[in-house]
Amino acid sequence: MRRTVALSNSCEVTRSTVQVVDRCPDSEEKWKERATIKDCAANASQCAEPERLVYHCVISPYVNQTLEVCAYAQNIVYGHCTSYSLSGNLILQNLRTNCSAFKDKPCPKVYRSDKAYNYPECYELTKKSTTVAYISKSMSNLDTTIVPTTLSSNGSSNTHEDKTVEDVVKITIPVVVIGTLAILIIIVLIYLRRKKGRTFCKKHCPKGSKKSNNARAEEMNLCNQKI
């Protein structure tokens, strides 16, 4: 009986190899140097397909960090930068980016993830405030559940959760709306109260009244209280 083995796009050991770094190699030579230091082969035996576990240096899902990770290489399509999804535990294209629009070394529509060093502008996006210029129009399938992980010196992982702009907007808008409505209601109430007071004065304190000074003074005092 022939046994069929189901292939996977990821290896569980990949999660424990994720590490935030200051920069990624921008040439094949530097890439190989970092791959030697990372030594992904040391963990490859824990994977179903050990030969597929290779060194990567990619951008984070929110384009704010660069990550080193040992993972299965993937084909990156549609002209996006290479990223790593912690939730899916695999290498994939970052839909927030469009590296095919780069002026210097634009990426092709399809390339291998372990050749990401050929498109160093992807790494520069994590350091620029102009990242929004490269955001793809296709935002509906973003991996918004990804949380980058940094390995501490003792090997334990510290998770840093990035809040998206959408989260901030969801909190800010209701607060602003409620505050604005409250101010408008207070203004309307003050206006109605004063209007009612003026109407009362016109009715009970008309100009040219022949009442005594004491009576008029009492009426004027009452008018002021109404206003």
Side-chain angles (χ1 to χ4, degrees):
M1 181 177 179
R2 185 177 181 180
R3 178 180 295 179
T4 301
V5 179
L7 300 180
S8 173
N9 284 325
S10 65
C11 175
E12 187 59 34
V13 75
T14 293
R15 296 183 190 276
S16 64
T17 67
V18 184
Q19 188 171 9
V20 176
V21 293
D22 292 333
R23 64 183 61 85
C24 283
D26 56 3
S27 68
E28 184 176 7
E29 182 181 358
K30 294 178 182 178
W31 185 276
K32 290 180 177 179
E33 290 177 358
R34 291 302 306 169
T36 300
I37 295 172
K38 190 70 172 176
D39 193 16
C40 295
N43 298 305
S45 61
Q46 302 179 52
C47 302
E49 300 172 86
E51 70 283 355
R52 292 183 61 192
L53 191 75
V54 294
Y55 169 82
H56 284 82
C57 196
V58 300
I59 62 175
S60 64
Y62 298 115
V63 199
N64 60 354
Q65 292 175 315
T66 45
L67 311 172
E68 280 191 336
V69 59
C70 296
Y72 285 0
Q74 308 290 343
N75 286 326
I76 304 302
V77 297
Y78 305 126
H80 297 296
C81 294
T82 304
S83 187
Y84 169 71
S85 165
L86 184 62
S87 61
N89 188 33
L90 78 164
I91 297 293
L92 75 175
Q93 57 266 27
N94 189 308
L95 299 183
R96 295 174 182 268
T97 63
N98 180 11
C99 58
S100 63
F102 291 161
K103 293 181 179 179
D104 185 25
K105 296 184 178 181
C107 64
K109 291 301 180 182
V110 181
Y111 67 93
R112 290 278 293 177
S113 60
D114 54 354
K115 303 295 182 182
Y117 56 82
N118 286 320
Y119 318 107
E121 282 191 69
C122 286
Y123 306 137
E124 293 302 316
L125 292 180
T126 65
K127 304 172 184 177
K128 294 181 180 180
S129 59
T130 55
T131 300
V132 68
Y134 298 98
I135 293 179
S136 171
K137 293 181 180 180
S138 176
M139 298 292 286
S140 59
N141 297 319
L142 291 180
D143 187 354
T144 56
T145 60
I146 299 168
V147 182
T149 300
T150 305
L151 295 183
S152 62
S153 58
N154 60 5
S156 60
S157 61
N158 299 315
T159 303
H160 302 281
E161 185 169 359
D162 295 308
K163 286 188 176 182
T164 62
V165 175
E166 291 81 3
D167 293 332
V168 176
V169 171
K170 288 178 182 179
I171 296 173
T172 304
I173 289 180
V175 172
V176 173
V177 171
I178 293 173
T180 303
L181 288 176
I183 293 173
L184 290 175
I185 291 173
I186 292 173
I187 293 174
V188 170
L189 290 175
I190 293 174
Y191 172 79
L192 293 177
R193 186 174 183 274
R194 291 188 174 182
K195 184 177 180 181
K196 183 177 180 181
R198 292 192 188 98
T199 302
F200 179 88
C201 289
K202 288 180 180 179
K203 183 177 180 181
H204 294 88
C205 310
K207 294 182 178 181
S209 174
K210 296 181 180 180
K211 293 184 179 181
S212 65
N213 291 335
N214 290 337
R216 177 124 181 111
E218 291 180 0
E219 289 178 345
M220 288 301 295
N221 184 48
L222 184 58
C223 280
N224 291 332
Q225 292 179 359
K226 289 290 183 180
I227 296 174

